[in-house]
Amino acid sequence: YDSYNLHHEKYFQEIDLRSWVGSRGADEVYQMWLGAGLTPESWDSIHRKMIGASLARGAGYWYFDMNNFFADPFMHEKIREAYQVAKQLNAMPKSTFRPDVCLVASDVINPYLSDQFTASGWGRDYQQMMLQCSGVPFNRYSLNEILQHKELQNFKMYIFEESTFISEQQRQEIKTKLLNNNRTIVWMGDSGYFSENGKSLDAMSDLIGMKVRTEEDYARRTAVIDNTNNLLTKNVAPFQGCAEMLMAILDTNGGASSFAGRYQPFWIEDSSAIALAHYTETSQTAMATKQLKGWKSIYLAATQSLGPQLFNNIAKQAGAFVVGAAGQEVDMSGNFASIHALKSGSYTLRLPPGKSRVVDAQTGEVLSDKKPLYTFPLVAQQTYWYFFE
């Protein structure tokens, strides 16, 4: 979304929701895979979750009704309510709040994957879910946009999530524009493995600041956190790697799957770095951190392996704004928050700087006033909308 906003354009999300009405034409498992709202309550929560993501990021949305899936007065009323919230939000004074974390996207579609259905490629969806459940707000821009716009060069933390190809000029600009001011840089997978000069582990290692190694073969590697005394890994689940998670889902027996190609493994061999995780199959280092001159490097060699708690921990250590604990899906801006509960329990929301009041976005009820934090109960699979004032 953020790149569109940068260029004074608007991203539109397609709201293609299946429901309990209209032509189903699918079995129960397929309906679950689609995320169909088969009851009014579940449809309302899914609808609010999707709309909330667009509202929080300044994006638009449009409804796509293929088979009379919206043919019910209840849904019409909920669509009307969402429109009223969007109208109120658009009328609020523009907020100056901006996240402290920036995800660095590749400038081009990755041409280096050997199969359309790679575990690393398909694992991207799961990685995005993990990031949205971290409690850390973030922006996402392409590398070219960051290097061309000075206002995008002052985030406290950058995450190179899919940056297989980085040109020689971009590498020099990264070093001069981003690797300073005590920033934290997170590198993932094969970031920087290719340039116009071809593939190079030495160039990749030089950029990341650690000695990286690889094996030019297809593999499966299960990464586990083993250094639990480090603040970066506190309370982090022992399993990481969304590509491996995808492989496990596709084939619960662990054998060959025809649905997703394997990935190329990377690991760290650097005695000056602090190892935080290893692969169970090889004992090679799968995650490490290293303090360099003027910046901190964190490398996650396992494909798509930035989990929500790990992201939350890294953001806190980087001094970035964190809205709350990891574990719930939170989409927020300086004026609005949408929280989709993945589990029931109490949740504490940190208000954006300059805000001190929380208002129910649909009823207008003031829920908290003159406080920097708002604690409230969540019920799993429900979505909550709040205005900040």
Side-chain angles (χ1 to χ4, degrees):
Y1 305 121
D2 305 303
S3 290
Y4 285 83
N5 298 338
L6 181 68
H7 298 285
H8 308 289
E9 298 173 347
K10 186 177 284 290
Y11 181 95
F12 274 79
Q13 179 185 189
E14 178 181 286
I15 308 299
D16 173 16
L17 296 182
R18 314 303 167 88
S19 70
W20 68 93
V21 298
S23 174
R24 293 194 179 188
D27 59 32
E28 182 181 8
V29 174
Y30 186 67
Q31 294 284 2
M32 293 170 66
W33 180 79
L34 288 171
L38 300 182
T39 67
E41 294 76 17
S42 64
W43 186 94
D44 183 40
S45 187
I46 295 168
H47 174 242
R48 286 156 60 89
K49 172 185 175 182
M50 295 180 70
I51 299 297
S54 279
L55 296 181
R57 292 191 173 273
Y61 58 91
W62 67 286
Y63 293 91
F64 180 33
D65 186 3
M66 292 194 304
N67 250 330
N68 294 318
F69 288 116
F70 298 153
D72 188 275
F74 173 85
M75 284 181 271
H76 296 176
E77 174 61 19
K78 294 306 176 180
I79 291 172
R80 185 194 68 81
E81 290 178 2
Y83 171 77
Q84 293 299 327
V85 171
K87 187 176 179 180
Q88 292 181 64
L89 180 60
N90 287 335
M92 295 176 71
K94 186 175 177 61
S95 172
T96 58
F97 172 80
R98 190 190 76 171
D100 292 324
V101 179
C102 181
L103 271 65
V104 184
S106 176
D107 298 304
V108 295
I109 297 174
N110 196 336
Y112 307 105
L113 297 178
S114 59
D115 192 317
Q116 179 182 359
F117 304 113
T118 61
S120 56
W122 275 25
R124 185 185 306 115
D125 291 340
Y126 293 89
Q127 178 63 82
Q128 183 67 24
M129 295 176 196
M130 297 292 183
L131 297 178
Q132 289 181 271
C133 299
S134 65
V136 182
F138 57 87
N139 283 158
R140 189 173 188 266
Y141 296 101
S142 73
L143 180 55
N144 267 339
E145 289 170 332
I146 294 169
L147 297 178
Q148 291 172 5
H149 294 265
K150 193 173 181 62
E151 69 272 20
L152 301 183
Q153 298 167 15
N154 58 357
F155 287 89
K156 294 181 179 179
M157 176 177 164
Y158 291 87
I159 302 171
F160 285 76
E161 54 172 341
E162 291 175 3
S163 303
T164 306
F165 180 92
I166 300 178
S167 71
E168 293 296 336
Q169 180 179 342
Q170 287 176 328
R171 291 167 196 262
Q172 295 307 312
E173 292 189 56
I174 288 171
K175 291 178 181 179
T176 58
K177 296 178 179 180
L178 304 183
L179 306 188
N180 49 37
N181 294 329
N182 295 317
R183 291 195 180 93
T184 295
I185 311 294
V186 178
W187 316 88
M188 298 178 63
D190 57 4
S191 293
Y193 186 42
F194 276 86
S195 73
E196 62 268 38
N197 297 324
K199 55 191 174 186
S200 171
L201 276 177
D202 290 338
M204 180 179 179
S205 300
D206 177 67
L207 184 63
I208 292 175
M210 302 180 208
K211 189 176 182 180
V212 180
R213 289 290 174 259
T214 189
E215 177 183 352
E216 293 192 355
D217 198 359
Y218 297 110
R220 292 187 65 175
R221 297 284 188 270
T222 307
V224 294
I225 298 292
D226 52 21
N227 187 341
T228 56
N229 295 322
N230 195 291
L231 291 176
L232 295 177
T233 55
K234 183 179 180 181
N235 298 324
V236 173
F239 176 80
Q240 64 166 348
C242 294
E244 267 304 309
M245 183 172 71
L246 176 66
M247 297 298 293
I249 292 172
L250 289 176
D251 189 356
T252 56
N253 294 324
S257 170
S258 61
F259 293 102
R262 307 301 195 267
Y263 46 85
Q264 181 174 330
F266 290 84
W267 64 89
I268 305 112
E269 289 184 1
D270 193 327
S271 59
S272 62
I274 300 174
L276 300 174
H278 72 280
Y279 295 125
T280 57
E281 294 85 355
T282 63
S283 298
Q284 295 160 337
T285 300
M287 173 185 172
T289 179
K290 186 175 181 179
Q291 183 63 51
L292 294 126
K293 187 177 181 180
W295 65 287
K296 176 183 286 187
S297 178
I298 299 175
Y299 176 50
L300 285 69
T303 306
Q304 309 285 15
S305 59
L306 185 53
Q309 186 62 58
L310 179 59
F311 185 13
N312 193 285
N313 291 348
I314 295 174
K316 287 178 179 176
Q317 290 299 298
F321 176 84
V322 174
V323 66
Q328 312 286 4
E329 179 175 338
V330 180
D331 296 286
M332 67 160 290
S333 65
N335 290 331
F336 174 81
S338 175
I339 296 93
H340 179 75
L342 299 178
K343 56 185 177 181
S344 298
S346 178
Y347 193 74
T348 297
L349 196 68
R350 182 178 302 279
L351 276 63
K355 304 289 185 173
S356 60
R357 178 182 295 172
V358 179
V359 178
D360 186 299
Q362 290 186 274
T363 67
E365 179 186 358
V366 177
L367 304 172
S368 177
D369 196 18
K370 298 179 181 179
K371 298 178 181 179
L373 302 174
Y374 172 53
T375 301
F376 57 100
L378 291 175
V379 177
Q381 301 308 312
Q382 291 191 17
T383 305
Y384 304 80
W385 286 353
Y386 303 114
F387 287 140
F388 298 130
E389 297 178 350

